C-alpha cells in the first residue's frame, strides 16, 4: 500500500504554497495532477498524496517545479486561489464534514472538469496548428506568385530582345535585294510604290525577280518528253509459296564436358565471399588475411599465424586461411597443429559443393593439403602416416607440376627402408598402390590406362566399389558409354537397399477415421457398424505401424550405410552421362531426377536436369512436326 509523503503548506492572499518531500525518487518518475478542487501526487508504487482542497483553485494559473534534495526531490506546488484574499482554514476537506460518497462525487466531478479543460487545450492546439499551417501556406503562395511574376517578366524581356535582334538581322539581310529590285523592276507588279513600308512580301518578290531568270532566257525543249509508264504494281501478282512442307531446323547443343569425379560450372573467384557482417574495414576477414599474407611473405610466421587465426574467427569457413595457417605451423615446427589444420581443411573441402570448385582447383588443393600433412607427419616421426598422405598427394598432383611431391615420397620410402619400418597390413591396403597409380593416370588424362588398371584391380577384388566407380568415370571419358552404364547399373544393384530406403515416403497416414453412423439407427445396426469401424481402425493402425517401421528401418539403413548414399549418387549421375552418350535422353532424365532427390541443392545437377528436359521437349516437338509433314506428303 502506498505511503503518504511528508508535506508542508502555507498561504498568501493569492496563492497556496506546498512543499512535498519525496525520498529516493527522481522527478521523471513522479506524476502530478491538478484539478479545481483536487490535487494528486503519485510516485508508484511507494508514495501517493491525494488532497480534496477546501476551496476552488485556478488550475491554469497554478504552477509546479522540482528541486533536488539530499536523498530525493522536493516538489514545490503553487495553487492560485479562485477567490483572492480568501483565507483557508484548512488545506483539505474532511471526510466527516461531507461524507464519503459526496466527497468522492466532488472529486470525480473535478477530475471530469480537468479532463474537459485538457481536451479543450488539445483542441485549441490543433486549431492553432491548422491556422498556422494555413497562414504559412498562404504566405508561400504569395511568395510563389511574386516569383512567378518575376520569372514571366524576365521571359517577356528576353523574348522581346530576341525578336528585336531577329528583325534587325532580317533587315540587314534583305536591304541589298530590295535595292536591286527597285533598280531593275521586271514587271509593273514588282515595282514598289514610293514611300511604302519595307514589307516582307515586297522583299521576297524583289529577291525572286533578281534571282529567277526570265522566260525568254530559258532554253526551249526540242521534243516533248515521253509519258511516264503506268505503274506495274497494280497488275503484278504476289510471289508463289516457296515451300509447302514443314522445315525441320536441327539444333546442335554444345556438348558439356563431364568433369568426373568433381563436377563444376567453371572457374570462380578464388576467395569466397564471407557471410560475416563486419562493423568496419578492420573487422573483415579479408583485412586480416591480407595482413597475414604480408607477414608470411616477410617470413614472420608467428604473426602470420595469429593474423590467419583472426580471419578464421570472423569466417570459420575460410578454407584458404586454414591452409595458410597450416603452412605457418609447419615453419614454426608445430606439427600437431599443422596436422589438425590440414585435416580440418580436407573436411571442409569434402563438404564444399561441387559448383564452388573446379576440377583443377580441387586437384591442386588436395595435392597441397596431403603434401603438407604428410610432411608434418614425417617431421613428427610418423613415417607410416606421412608416406600414406604423400602417396595421396602424388596421385592428385599434375603431370608437369608438383614434382617435389614425388621426390619427397621416394625419399621417405627410402628412409623407411633404411630404418626397417614396414607398414602394418591393417593400415595398408594391398591394392592401395595400384589405386593411387590408377588415380594418377586418370588425373593425367590417360583414361585408357586408368581403365585398364581399375579392371585389373577388379579382377583381383570384384566387389571393390570405389574401383568400380572410378572405372565407370574413366570409361565415360574414354567414350565407352555402354560399358560405363553396365558398371553403374551394377553399383545401383549393389546399393539396392539404400536406393529403396531413399524411395521410402516420409508421410504417415492420418489417425482420424470418419464414421457414417447416424444417431437414429437401431441398436443392432449401431453395434454392427461399430464392429466394422473397429476392424477398419485396427487395419489402419496396423498399416500406419507398418509405415512407421519401414520409415525407421530406412532411416537406420541410411545412417548405417551413409557411404553407399554418396556412391549411389555418383552412380546415378554417371548413368545419366552414359545414357546421354548413347542418346537415350528420357532414361538419363530419370536418373538425374533420382540424383536430385539425394542432393536437391546441387545447382549444377539441377541445371543439367533442366537442360536435358528442354532438349527432350525440343526433340519431341521436332519429331511431331516432321511426322505431320510426312503425313501431309502421304496424303498428297
Amino acid at each position: 500500500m502506498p505511503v503518504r509523503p511528508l508535506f508542508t503548506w502555507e498561504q498568501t492572499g493569492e496563492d497556496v504554497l506546498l512543499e512535498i518531500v519525496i525520498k529516493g525518487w527522481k522527478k521523471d518518475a513522479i506524476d502530478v495532477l491538478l484539478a479545481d478542487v483536487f490535487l494528486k501526487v503519485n510516485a508508484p508504487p511507494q508514495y501517493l498524496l491525494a488532497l480534496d482542497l477546501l476551496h476552488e483553485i485556478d488550475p491554469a494559473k497554478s504552477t509546479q517545479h522540482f528541486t533536488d534534495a539530499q536523498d530525493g526531490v522536493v516538489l514545490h506546488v503553487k495553487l492560485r486561489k479562485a477567490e483572492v484574499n480568501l483565507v483557508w482554514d484548512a488545506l483539505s476537506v474532511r471526510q466527516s464534514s461531507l461524507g464519503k460518497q459526496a466527497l468522492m462525487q466532488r472529486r470525480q466531478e473535478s477530475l471530469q472538469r480537468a479532463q474537459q479543460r485538457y481536451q479543450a487545450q488539445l483542441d485549441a492546439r490543433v486549431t492553432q496548428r491548422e491556422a498556422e499551417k494555413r497562414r504559412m501556406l498562404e504566405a508561400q503562395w504569395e511568395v510563389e506568385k511574386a516569383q512567378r511574376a518575376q520569372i514571366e517578366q524576365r521571359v517577356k524581356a528576353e523574348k522581346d530582345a530576341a525578336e528585336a535582334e531577329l528583325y534587325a538581322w532580317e533587315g540587314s539581310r534583305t536591304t541589298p535585294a530590295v535595292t536591286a529590285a527597285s533598280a531593275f523592276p521586271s514587271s509593273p507588279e514588282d515595282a514598289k510604290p514610293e514611300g511604302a513600308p519595307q514589307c516582307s512580301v515586297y522583299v521576297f518578290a524583289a529577291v525572286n525577280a533578281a534571282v529567277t531568270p526570265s522566260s525568254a532566257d530559258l532554253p526551249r525543249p526540242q521534243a516533248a518528253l515521253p509519258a511516264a509508264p503506268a505503274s506495274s504494281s497494280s497488275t503484278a501478282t504476289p510471289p508463289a509459296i516457296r515451300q509447302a512442307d514443314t522445315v525441320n531446323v536441327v539444333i546442335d547443343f554444345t556438348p558439356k564436358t563431364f568433369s568426373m569425379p568433381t563436377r563444376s560450372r567453371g572457374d570462380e573467384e578464388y576467395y569466397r565471399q564471407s557471410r560475416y557482417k563486419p562493423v568496419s574495414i578492420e573487422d573483415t576477414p579479408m583485412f586480416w588475411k591480407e595482413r597475414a599474407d604480408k607477414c608470411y611473405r616477410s617470413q614472420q610466421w608467428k604473426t602470420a599465424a595469429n593474423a590467419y587465426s583472426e580471419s578464421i574467427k570472423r569466417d570459420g569457413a575460410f578454407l584458404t586461411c586454414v591452409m595458410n595457417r597450416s603452412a605457418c605451423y609447419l615453419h614454426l615446427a608445430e606439427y600437431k597443429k599443422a596436422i589438425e589444420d590440414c585435416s580440418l581443411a580436407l573436411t571442409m573441402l569434402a563438404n564444399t559443393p561441387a559448383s564452388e570448385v573446379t576440377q583443377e582447383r580441387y586437384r591442386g588443393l588436395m595435392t597441397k593439403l596431403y603434401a603438407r600433412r604428410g610432411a608434418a607427419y614425417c617431421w613428427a616421426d610418423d613415417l607410416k602416416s606421412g608416406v600414406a598422405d604423400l602417396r595421396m598427394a602424388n596421385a592428385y598432383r599434375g603431370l608437369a607440376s608438383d614434382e617435389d611431391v614425388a621426390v619427397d615420397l621416394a625419399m621417405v620410402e627410402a628412409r623407411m627402408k633404411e630404418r626397417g619400418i614396414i607398414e602394418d597390413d591393417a593400415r595398408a591396403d594391398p591394392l592401395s598402390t595400384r589405386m593411387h597409380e590408377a588415380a594418377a593416370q586418370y588425373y593425367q588424362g590417360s583414361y585408357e590406362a586408368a581403365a585398364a588398371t581399375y579392371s585389373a584391380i577388379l579382377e583381383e577384388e570384384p566387389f571393390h566399389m570405389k574401383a568400380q566407380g572410378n572405372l565407370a568415370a574413366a570409361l565415360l571419358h574414354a567414350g565407352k558409354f555402354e560399358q560405363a552404364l553396365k558398371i553403374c547399373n551394377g553399383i545401383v544393384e549393389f546399393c539396392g537397399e539404400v536406393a529403396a530406403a531413399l524411395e521410402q515416403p516420409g508421410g504417415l497416414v492420418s489417425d482420424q477415421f470418419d464414421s457414417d453412423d447416424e444417431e437414429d439407427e437401431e441398436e443392432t445396426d449401431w453395434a454392427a457398424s461399430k464392429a466394422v469401424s473397429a476392424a477398419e481402425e485396427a487395419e489402419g493402425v496396423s498399416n500406419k505401424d507398418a509405415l512407421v517401421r519401414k520409415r525407421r528401418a530406412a532411416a537406420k539403413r541410411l545412417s548405417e550405410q551413409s557411404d553407399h548414399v554418396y556412391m549411389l549418387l555418383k552412380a546415378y549421375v554417371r548413368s545419366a552421362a552414359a545414357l546421354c552418350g548413347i542418346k537415350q535422353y528420357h532414361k538419363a532424365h530419370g536418373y538425374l531426377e533420382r540424383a536430385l532427390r539425394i542432393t536437391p541443392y546441387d545447382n549444377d545437377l539441377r541445371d543439367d536436369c533442366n537442360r536435358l528436359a528442354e532438349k527432350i521437349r525440343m526433340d519431341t516437338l521436332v519429331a511431331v512436326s516432321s511426322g505431320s509433314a510426312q503425313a501431309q506428303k502421304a496424303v498428297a
Side-chain angles (χ1 to χ4, degrees):
M1 185 175 181
V3 180
R4 189 174 187 180
L6 298 177
F7 69 94
T8 58
W9 74 283
E10 59 182 4
Q11 61 177 325
T12 63
E14 297 179 352
D15 303 319
V16 177
L17 307 176
L18 284 86
E19 289 186 0
I20 306 170
V21 180
I22 302 176
K23 297 182 179 180
W25 289 87
K26 296 182 179 180
K27 59 182 180 180
D28 297 335
I30 301 173
D31 184 20
V32 180
L33 173 63
L34 289 175
D36 51 2
V37 291
F38 181 69
L39 170 64
K40 179 181 178 182
V41 178
N42 187 19
Q46 188 173 357
Y47 295 104
L48 175 62
L49 176 62
L51 297 176
D52 293 294
L53 301 177
L54 181 63
H55 298 288
E56 187 176 353
I57 63 172
D58 187 359
K61 297 181 180 180
S62 301
T63 60
Q64 60 187 6
H65 68 278
F66 291 91
T67 58
D68 295 331
Q70 184 176 1
D71 54 351
V73 293
V74 178
L75 173 61
H76 302 271
V77 182
K78 183 173 70 172
L79 305 176
R80 178 61 57 90
K81 295 180 180 179
E83 185 177 352
V84 182
N85 296 326
L86 176 63
V87 179
W88 290 19
D89 298 335
L91 180 61
S92 60
V93 179
R94 295 182 180 179
Q95 184 176 353
S96 59
S97 61
L98 293 178
K100 183 176 181 180
Q101 185 175 1
L103 187 63
M104 294 301 296
Q105 184 177 359
R106 179 174 181 265
R107 180 185 298 181
Q108 190 67 27
E109 292 175 354
S110 176
L111 292 175
Q112 290 178 359
R113 289 191 294 271
Q115 182 67 24
Q116 292 174 0
R117 282 193 297 270
Y118 179 71
Q119 188 64 35
Q121 291 177 359
L122 292 180
D123 296 341
R125 290 178 184 176
V126 172
T127 304
Q128 183 180 2
R129 191 181 300 111
E130 291 179 354
E132 183 67 18
K133 187 184 296 184
R134 190 180 301 108
R135 186 188 66 81
M136 293 295 294
L137 183 60
E138 292 176 355
Q140 183 67 24
W141 283 352
E142 294 297 332
V143 172
E144 290 181 357
K145 287 180 181 179
Q147 292 179 353
R148 183 66 180 175
Q150 185 178 4
I151 292 172
E152 289 178 353
Q153 291 177 1
R154 291 181 180 178
V155 170
K156 187 176 182 302
E158 292 177 359
K159 182 179 179 181
D160 294 341
E163 288 181 353
E165 184 179 357
L166 180 61
Y167 290 149
W169 174 80
E170 187 179 20
S172 64
R173 295 283 294 176
T174 57
T175 301
V178 172
T179 305
S182 60
F184 304 99
S186 59
S187 63
E189 290 79 10
D190 294 336
K192 186 175 68 172
E194 189 70 25
Q198 294 286 340
C199 182
S200 60
V201 176
Y202 294 102
V203 172
F204 294 145
V207 171
N208 292 333
V211 176
T212 306
S214 61
S215 60
D217 298 333
L218 293 176
R220 295 183 179 180
Q222 299 296 330
L225 294 175
S231 176
S232 61
S233 60
S234 59
T235 60
T237 58
I241 299 176
R242 292 178 295 177
Q243 188 174 357
D245 298 336
T246 302
V247 179
N248 297 328
V249 180
V250 180
I251 301 176
D252 294 331
F253 289 88
T254 303
K256 181 176 180 180
T257 305
F258 291 92
S259 302
M260 298 294 180
T262 304
R263 304 172 61 256
S264 173
R265 289 182 176 178
D267 293 334
E268 293 184 354
E269 187 178 2
Y270 185 81
Y271 297 112
R272 60 181 297 276
Q273 294 182 354
S274 173
R275 292 184 295 270
Y276 178 74
K277 303 301 180 184
V279 297
S280 62
I281 297 178
E282 291 79 7
D283 199 31
T284 58
M286 288 302 300
F287 173 81
W288 288 100
K289 182 192 175 299
E290 292 174 358
R291 175 177 291 185
D293 292 343
K294 188 181 298 183
C295 295
Y296 187 90
R297 286 191 292 268
S298 60
Q299 298 184 0
Q300 300 177 13
W301 315 120
K302 186 65 177 178
T303 307
N306 294 335
Y308 284 128
S309 300
E310 291 294 331
S311 180
I312 295 170
K313 287 179 183 178
R314 289 158 176 80
D315 186 3
F318 208 152
L319 177 62
T320 307
C321 289
V322 177
M323 295 175 58
N324 294 350
R325 190 174 65 175
S326 66
C328 294
Y329 287 148
L330 271 178
H331 286 288
L332 293 171
E334 297 182 7
Y335 305 120
K336 184 178 180 180
K337 293 183 178 180
I339 293 170
E340 292 176 355
D341 277 353
C342 290
S343 301
L344 175 61
L346 286 171
T347 304
M348 293 168 61
L349 187 60
N351 295 328
T352 302
S355 58
E356 294 186 7
V357 60
T358 61
Q359 181 172 342
E360 292 298 326
R361 174 163 162 74
Y362 178 80
R363 289 175 52 187
L365 293 177
M366 294 293 284
T367 303
K368 191 177 297 184
L369 288 172
Y370 276 117
R372 287 180 183 173
R373 194 171 71 171
Y377 274 128
C378 292
W379 282 107
D381 203 17
D382 189 358
L383 298 182
K384 294 181 180 180
S385 301
V387 76
D389 283 346
L390 288 175
R391 286 172 181 169
M392 291 294 296
N394 188 43
Y396 279 110
R397 74 180 183 89
L399 183 62
S401 61
D402 299 326
E403 297 179 355
D404 295 339
V405 176
V407 175
D408 293 342
L409 177 60
M411 183 177 62
V412 173
E413 289 178 346
R415 183 63 59 87
M416 290 178 64
K417 188 175 181 180
E418 291 176 1
R419 297 174 59 178
I421 300 175
I422 302 175
E423 296 186 55
D424 299 334
D425 294 338
R427 296 181 57 184
D429 188 358
L431 302 177
S432 61
T433 304
R434 303 184 67 181
M435 287 290 293
H436 292 163
E437 179 184 354
Q441 293 171 351
Y442 176 87
Y443 283 114
Q444 292 170 5
S446 302
Y447 302 116
E448 296 286 350
T453 306
Y454 284 128
S455 299
I457 294 173
L458 289 174
E459 289 179 358
E460 298 181 8
E461 189 173 347
F463 295 100
H464 199 300
M465 290 294 105
K466 187 175 181 180
Q468 288 188 11
N470 294 347
L471 175 59
L475 291 174
L476 278 176
H477 281 287
K480 300 178 180 180
F481 302 115
E482 294 182 356
Q483 298 180 17
L485 180 61
K486 183 178 179 180
I487 294 174
C488 291
N489 290 335
I491 296 175
V492 172
E493 292 178 1
F494 179 80
C495 303
E497 294 183 357
V498 176
L502 290 172
E503 296 293 335
Q504 180 68 29
L508 297 178
V509 296
S510 176
D511 294 333
Q512 303 295 331
F513 294 91
D514 297 332
S515 176
D516 296 330
D517 297 339
E518 298 181 359
E519 295 180 357
D520 56 347
E521 287 182 345
E522 296 182 358
E523 185 176 358
T524 56
D525 296 337
W526 177 82
S529 62
K530 183 177 180 181
V532 173
S533 299
E536 293 178 354
E537 183 177 359
E539 184 179 359
V541 171
S542 62
N543 292 335
K544 185 180 71 173
D545 293 341
L547 287 175
V548 171
R549 287 194 297 270
K550 289 181 180 179
R551 184 183 179 188
R552 290 177 179 175
K556 182 178 180 181
R557 192 175 298 111
L558 289 176
S559 62
E560 292 176 351
Q561 301 177 357
S562 58
D563 54 341
H564 286 193
V565 176
Y566 185 62
M567 190 185 306
L568 189 64
L569 171 63
K570 292 193 292 185
Y572 283 155
V573 175
R574 289 167 181 169
S575 298
L579 289 170
C580 288
I582 59 180
K583 298 183 179 181
Q584 295 183 9
Y585 302 114
H586 287 276
K587 294 182 180 180
H589 187 264
Y591 276 106
L592 287 180
E593 286 183 341
R594 295 180 188 177
L596 279 175
R597 293 175 189 171
I598 300 176
T599 170
Y601 301 106
D602 192 334
N603 295 328
D604 274 351
L605 195 61
R606 188 168 296 278
D607 290 345
D608 291 343
C609 187
N610 295 336
R611 192 180 296 111
L612 187 58
E614 186 65 26
K615 179 172 178 56
I616 293 172
R617 192 179 301 111
M618 183 63 67
D619 290 346
T620 304
L621 292 175
V622 171
V624 170
S625 61
S626 61
S628 61
Q630 292 177 2
Q632 290 178 2
K633 287 182 179 180
V635 171

